[in-house]
Amino acid sequence: MSQYQSEPLLRHRTVGVDVGGVIVGGDAPVVVQSMTNTDTADIDATVAQVAALHRAGSEIVRITVDRDESAAAVPKIRERLERLGVFVPLVGDFHYIGHKLLADHPACAEALAKYRINPGNVGFREKRDRQFTDIVEMAIRHDKPVRIGVNWGSLDQELLTRLMDENHANGAPLTAREVTREAIVQSALLSADLAEDVGLPRSKIILSAKVSQVQDLIAVYIEMARRSDHALHLGLTEAGMGTKGVVASSAAMGILLQQGIGDTIRISLTPEPGGDRTREVQVAQELLQTMGFRQFLPVVAACPGCGRTTSTVFQELAQTIEGDLRENMPVWRDKYPGVENLKVAVMGCIVNGPGESKHADIGISLPGTGETPAAPVFIDGKKAATLRGPDIARDFQAMVSDYIEQRFGDGTQRKAG
C-alpha cells in the first residue's frame, strides 16, 4: 500500500442489523445516531427533542428507560412522533432493571426498535446471566435487535478482577491499562456469545465498547474488529464540552473509520447549559462528510481571512449561506434530490477567490482590502455575473437559490461543470 494512500481502507466486514428499517453494518453506510437528555416520562419534551434530533439528521435516536413512568411513556412517544410524521427508530437505554421494565411494559418492548444492554450493570453475581438472558429472550419474543454496550465506567468488576489476578500470576506481562482494555473486549464478546446461545441471531446484535480516552478507544475497537464480525457502534463516552469534545471524538473515530472500523457513530458531547442537543448530530455528519464516507449537506468553502480581508462581509455571507442550507435541508432532501452534493464557495479576495469559485458549482469572490469593489460570480466554472453595490450578499443568496432550483428542481437540469 502506498504511503500516499488517500482513500479509506475497506470497511471491516460485519453482519448487517436491521434497526427499525435502518441497516447498521454489512454494506450499509455508516449511520448517525444520537440520544435525548430529557426525562423520558416527560412526553412533550421527549417528543420535541427526538423530532429535533431527527430533523437535524439523526437516523436513530436513543432514549432513557429507567423506571416504570418512562417505560409507560415510550409507546405514547412513539405514537405522537408518528402523528408528526417522524418515524425515526427509537432505542431503549436500559440499566439495572431493564429485564423487569420490559416484562412489565410489553407495549414499551414493542414500540422500541432496539434494546441497549450494559453487561456491567444488568445484574450482579448469580443474577447477571439470568437477567441478561431475560432481556435477550424479550428481544427474541418481540423480534428486536440488541446493542450490547460495554462502558468502562461500569465494567464487570468480577471479570476485571479475574483478568488482573491471571495477569499477576503470569508475572504481570501486561499493564493494568492493557488488562482493562482486554476486560472491555471480553465483556462485549462473551455477552454476545451468551446472547447467541440463548437464541438471538448475530444479525440482531450490535456491539460497543465505550471509553473516554482516545488511545484506549482506538486500541479496544481495533481488537474487537480483529476478533469479531459483529456490527460495531463507535462512541467516545464522556467526550467533554465544546471544542475538546469535538476534537477528541473526531480524532478517535476518524482514525477508526479510516481503518474501516465502525458501522454507526454517536458524538457524545456535553451541551452547554440550555445548549442545543442537535450539535452532536451536526458534528457526526461533518465528520463522516469531511472524511468522504457520506454526503449530508452542501459544502461551503470559505477562506479563513487575512490582512487582505479586513471586511467581515465574506464571513457573514459564508455563515448565512451555510445556515440557510442546513435549515432548508430537511425539505430540500425530498424536493431537490442530489442537492447535498452542491459545492458553494464564498471567498474574501482575489488571491484564491476566483480559482476556488471556479472549482465550486457556484462561487463568489468578494473584494478584499484595496480591491475594486466588484464581486465576480462563477457558475459551473464560468464567470456568470459581477455583483456590485450594498446588496451583494442578498443578490448572491438569490443566485444560489436559483441555481439549486434550476439544477436540482423538477425542471430542466443544469449540467454541472
Side-chain angles (χ1 to χ4, degrees):
M1 183 66 68
S2 168
Q3 63 176 315
Y4 300 109
Q5 175 192 322
S6 60
E7 293 295 321
L9 299 179
L10 292 175
R11 284 272 298 280
H12 167 57
R13 185 167 295 281
T14 59
V15 176
V17 179
D18 187 338
V19 181
V22 175
I23 305 301
V24 174
D27 295 325
V30 180
V31 172
V32 171
Q33 61 178 283
S34 57
M35 184 176 183
T36 60
N37 60 358
T38 58
D39 179 357
T40 305
D42 185 339
I43 296 172
D44 291 342
T46 303
V47 167
Q49 191 171 87
V50 171
L53 289 167
H54 182 55
R55 177 180 170 81
S58 185
E59 294 158 304
I60 297 172
V61 177
R62 183 159 44 113
I63 60 178
T64 298
V65 187
D66 57 347
R67 62 193 196 279
D68 287 308
E69 291 82 359
S70 59
V74 170
K76 298 174 184 177
I77 291 167
R78 176 75 276 165
E79 181 183 357
R80 286 268 298 277
L81 287 168
E82 291 182 0
R83 288 207 304 265
L84 293 172
V86 177
F87 296 94
V88 62
L90 296 179
V91 177
D93 194 59
F94 294 99
H95 297 273
Y96 306 110
I97 59 170
H99 62 291
K100 183 176 184 302
L101 292 174
L102 286 167
D104 292 347
H105 299 273
C108 168
E110 183 57 37
L112 293 168
K114 184 177 73 175
Y115 311 152
R116 187 271 179 138
I117 313 174
N118 183 340
N121 60 28
V122 72
F124 301 97
R125 295 187 174 87
E126 71 279 355
K127 293 182 179 180
R128 179 184 299 108
D129 288 355
R130 184 173 72 250
Q131 292 177 177
F132 179 89
T133 296
D134 288 344
I135 298 178
V136 171
E137 289 178 341
M138 196 71 65
I140 294 170
R141 187 178 311 153
H142 291 276
D143 193 27
K144 307 292 183 179
V146 165
R147 172 159 72 93
I148 297 171
V150 179
N151 190 307
W152 76 346
S154 50
L155 184 60
D156 181 344
Q157 291 303 300
E158 290 182 36
L159 173 62
L160 178 60
T161 299
R162 178 172 60 79
L163 292 180
M164 287 289 187
D165 289 344
E166 290 175 358
N167 186 60
H168 181 72
N170 291 330
L174 302 177
T175 66
R177 190 171 186 175
E178 290 170 329
V179 175
T180 300
R181 289 173 177 173
E182 175 62 19
I184 292 168
V185 173
Q186 284 200 26
S187 179
L189 297 179
L190 289 170
S191 297
D193 288 345
L194 175 56
E196 289 191 62
D197 289 344
V198 173
L200 190 68
R202 188 159 295 199
S203 61
K204 294 285 188 182
I205 299 173
I206 297 173
L207 300 184
S208 69
K210 293 191 175 184
V211 299
S212 56
Q213 298 298 317
V214 170
Q215 295 299 337
D216 291 315
L217 191 83
I218 294 168
V220 164
Y221 273 90
I222 287 175
E223 189 62 18
M224 287 236 295
R226 187 181 72 81
R227 291 155 65 172
S228 166
D229 64 353
H230 289 93
L232 298 178
H233 167 123
L234 298 188
L236 190 70
T237 192
E238 294 104 27
M241 299 180 72
T243 55
K244 185 267 182 186
V246 172
V247 171
S249 293
S250 299
M253 284 186 265
I255 289 170
L256 289 167
L257 290 167
Q258 184 68 18
Q259 296 185 52
I261 297 171
D263 300 294
T264 179
I265 66 172
R266 186 213 168 183
I267 304 291
S268 300
L269 298 180
T270 303
E272 301 290 339
D276 189 350
R277 190 67 166 181
T278 63
R279 177 63 175 151
E280 66 178 46
V281 180
Q282 295 173 9
V283 174
Q285 289 183 329
E286 288 167 4
L287 173 61
L288 292 175
Q289 180 159 319
T290 299
M291 296 191 69
F293 289 104
R294 293 188 64 181
Q295 193 74 25
F296 297 97
L297 291 167
V299 174
V300 179
C303 70
C306 65
R308 295 186 180 90
T309 56
T310 53
S311 168
T312 61
V313 173
F314 81 96
Q315 298 165 326
E316 294 161 358
L317 180 55
Q319 184 179 50
T320 298
I321 293 294
E322 189 164 279
D324 286 348
L325 294 171
R326 184 174 290 279
E327 178 68 24
N328 286 305
M329 274 307 292
V331 173
W332 284 357
R333 285 190 189 99
D334 296 326
K335 187 176 181 181
Y336 300 122
V339 70
E340 66 275 8
N341 296 306
L342 177 70
K343 294 180 176 61
V344 182
V346 181
M347 306 303 293
C349 78
I350 199 171
V351 173
N352 293 315
E356 288 284 356
S357 297
K358 289 177 183 177
H359 289 307
D361 296 313
I362 179 169
I364 186 170
S365 179
L366 292 160
T369 305
E371 294 178 13
T372 302
V377 175
F378 297 84
I379 295 178
D380 296 335
K382 298 178 181 179
K383 186 175 177 180
T386 299
L387 303 180
R388 294 182 173 86
D391 296 325
I392 286 177
R394 187 175 65 186
D395 292 342
F396 182 65
Q397 283 181 262
M399 293 183 73
V400 171
S401 296
D402 179 64
Y403 180 86
I404 290 172
E405 175 63 38
Q406 290 187 55
R407 178 173 172 184
F408 300 104
D410 293 333
T412 303
Q413 299 287 299
R414 183 195 296 271
K415 184 178 179 181

